[in-house]
Amino acid sequence: MNNVPSGRHHVSTSRNLFAWFLFALLLLSLYLSYQLVAPFLHTIILSSVFSASIYPFYRRLTSYLGERPVPAALLVLAGVVILVVIPVVVFIIGLIPQAVASVSAITRWLAGHGGLDGLNDAALAPYIAWVRENLPFIDPAQLDVRSSLVQASRAAGQTLLQWGTYVLGNTLLLFGHFLLLLLCMFFMLKDGAWMVQRVRYLSPLRIDQQDRIILELRRVGRSVLVGGLLVAVIQGLLGGVALAAVGIPALFWGTLMAFASLVPVVGTGLVWVPAVCYLLLTSQWESALFLSLWCGIVVVGADSILRPYFMRGGVGMPVFFIFLSILGGVKAFGMLGILDGPLILSFTVVMLSLYGDEYRDILDAGSLAHSRGAECEKGEASEEGPDGT
């Protein structure tokens, strides 16, 4: 009779050992699989976001074609190539030389007169005196605005040349990633529902928790693509129209305006306000007035109207945190960090929310005990009096 418990214990130990061994093999296989897809991870993430964003259109097209998923997926990818990829390629081909030419022109302008020769004129004497009186830690004599701007312009030019050289020198690699993007989108559109169901089956989370994670990631991806990048493109186009009208290279500076629109508060003003100042320095008053009115009303108005419309029901995070996630994503992952950063932040927020909901009783009990302890200490301090007696 004493051998029965020991036998059960032996079976239980064997099962635990088998379970841990199986789990270790699973982790090893996942790690090795990650090593295989790591070079293409950003491409896979980008294809996932694109596929999730256009999946409703794909479903309607599949129904229209008589539930034939392969032709529907091919038609969707053909539309992506025609409407998105080809314009982007043409845009980049025209952007690089215009960017280099623009930076070179700025450098020559600043190295020459640049409209900055009058910085030390008597007209600025009252302002210099005010700075010396109210900001004694700043020495106006040490400020060399022109040299600083020239150095910044040269650094920007070198960065553009390096970026252009990288793009041209890695054309084959970029083309391979593009083909992989289309291939991933094809299978995600065709088999995406089955993939999601398989992940749900293997996940130990509850159905409602899985739904929250999937819904939040899909919502953030759509908000970043539509509410962020699409609005940025529209603002860049509108700003480029005005820049072209006043004789400023529109392709390059419009692109910078589109990127600047992602910056909270200041936004596109990072580009068009210095452009207006340049026009004023060169005595182009009419162009400066037109550019300031157009950008101040039309470009800024597009952001105020379109962004809330596109992002309705979208990301429930403050704009400042989204901006920080974009900056951190770009720093860690390059330009694709514009998308990866908000996705990572959103995933972290939803996991913290799930943790708070799952352990609400424990957290509430701990918070209640802490508040009662603080009230008791406060009551004891009040009974002792201010002198401790």
Side-chain angles (χ1 to χ4, degrees):
M1 295 179 63
N2 295 333
N3 294 332
V4 174
S6 62
R8 290 179 178 176
H9 177 71
H10 177 72
V11 172
S12 176
T13 303
S14 300
R15 289 180 177 176
N16 290 335
L17 179 61
F18 175 77
W20 282 109
F21 183 72
L22 180 62
F23 186 68
L25 289 179
L26 175 62
L27 291 179
L28 177 62
S29 65
L30 292 176
Y31 172 75
L32 295 177
S33 299
Y34 170 76
Q35 294 297 319
L36 291 176
V37 302
F40 318 105
L41 185 60
H42 295 300
T43 304
I44 296 173
I45 293 175
L46 192 61
S47 62
S48 302
V49 174
F50 282 158
S51 301
S53 300
I54 63 178
Y55 189 78
F57 174 74
Y58 161 77
R59 286 301 310 158
R60 288 195 295 268
L61 185 59
T62 303
S63 177
Y64 178 78
L65 295 177
E67 298 300 329
R68 292 189 294 174
V70 174
L74 292 176
L75 286 176
V76 170
L77 294 183
V80 170
V81 172
I82 295 173
L83 298 178
V84 178
V85 177
I86 293 178
V88 168
V89 171
V90 174
F91 169 77
I92 292 177
I93 292 175
L95 174 64
I96 295 176
Q98 188 175 113
V100 175
S102 299
V103 174
S104 300
I106 292 175
T107 303
R108 291 194 302 269
W109 182 72
L110 292 173
H113 59 87
L116 300 175
D117 288 325
L119 285 178
N120 296 322
D121 290 345
L124 295 180
Y127 303 101
I128 295 177
W130 182 89
V131 170
R132 286 175 175 169
E133 180 180 353
N134 297 277
L135 305 173
F137 53 88
I138 296 179
D139 185 6
Q142 300 296 324
L143 297 178
D144 193 350
V145 179
R146 181 185 301 171
S147 298
S148 301
L149 292 176
V150 170
Q151 292 177 2
S153 179
R154 289 174 178 171
Q158 292 176 356
T159 302
L160 288 171
L161 287 175
Q162 293 174 357
W163 185 74
T165 303
Y166 172 81
V167 172
L168 295 177
N170 294 273
T171 303
L172 185 61
L173 178 62
L174 296 176
F175 182 72
H177 279 279
F178 167 66
L179 292 181
L180 179 62
L181 174 69
L182 294 180
L183 187 63
C184 291
M185 288 183 62
F186 173 78
F187 285 104
M188 287 179 181
L189 289 174
K190 186 173 72 73
D191 303 322
W194 175 83
M195 293 178 184
V196 172
Q197 291 300 325
R198 191 61 183 171
V199 172
R200 286 176 177 271
Y201 173 76
L202 296 174
S203 173
L205 298 177
R206 297 193 308 269
I207 298 298
D208 61 317
Q209 294 175 334
Q210 298 174 15
D211 290 340
R212 286 182 61 180
I213 295 175
I214 295 174
L215 179 62
E216 186 66 20
L217 292 179
R218 182 185 301 170
R219 182 184 302 165
V220 170
R222 186 182 298 112
S223 297
V224 173
L225 283 178
V226 179
L229 299 184
L230 181 58
V231 174
V233 170
I234 293 174
Q235 287 189 284
L237 290 174
L238 293 174
V241 170
L243 292 171
V246 298
I248 297 177
L251 194 60
F252 173 63
W253 294 107
T255 302
L256 291 185
M257 191 175 292
F259 281 108
S261 69
L262 300 173
V263 181
V265 184
V266 289
T268 55
L270 287 174
V271 176
W272 65 265
V273 171
V276 170
C277 295
Y278 161 76
L279 294 174
L280 292 175
L281 287 172
T282 55
S283 300
Q284 302 181 53
W285 302 98
E286 297 84 358
S287 298
L289 179 61
F290 167 75
L291 184 62
S292 60
L293 291 177
W294 177 274
C295 293
I297 297 175
V298 178
V299 177
V300 175
D303 179 76
S304 303
I305 297 173
L306 295 179
R307 195 180 300 273
Y309 174 77
F310 286 136
M311 297 188 69
R312 65 189 188 281
V315 187
M317 292 179 290
V319 177
F320 178 71
F321 291 116
I322 298 176
F323 173 66
L324 287 182
S325 68
I326 292 175
L327 286 183
V330 171
K331 178 69 175 178
F333 308 116
M335 290 306 299
L336 290 178
I338 294 177
L339 179 62
D340 294 346
L343 285 176
I344 293 173
L345 178 62
S346 175
F347 181 70
T348 303
V349 170
V350 72
M351 292 308 299
L352 290 174
S353 177
L354 291 177
Y355 171 81
D357 293 341
E358 187 69 20
Y359 299 100
R360 183 182 303 275
D361 296 339
I362 299 175
L363 296 175
D364 289 344
S367 177
L368 182 61
H370 177 74
S371 61
R372 287 178 177 176
E375 291 178 358
C376 291
E377 292 179 359
K378 183 178 179 180
E380 293 175 357
S382 62
E383 291 177 359
E384 290 179 355
D387 57 353
T389 58

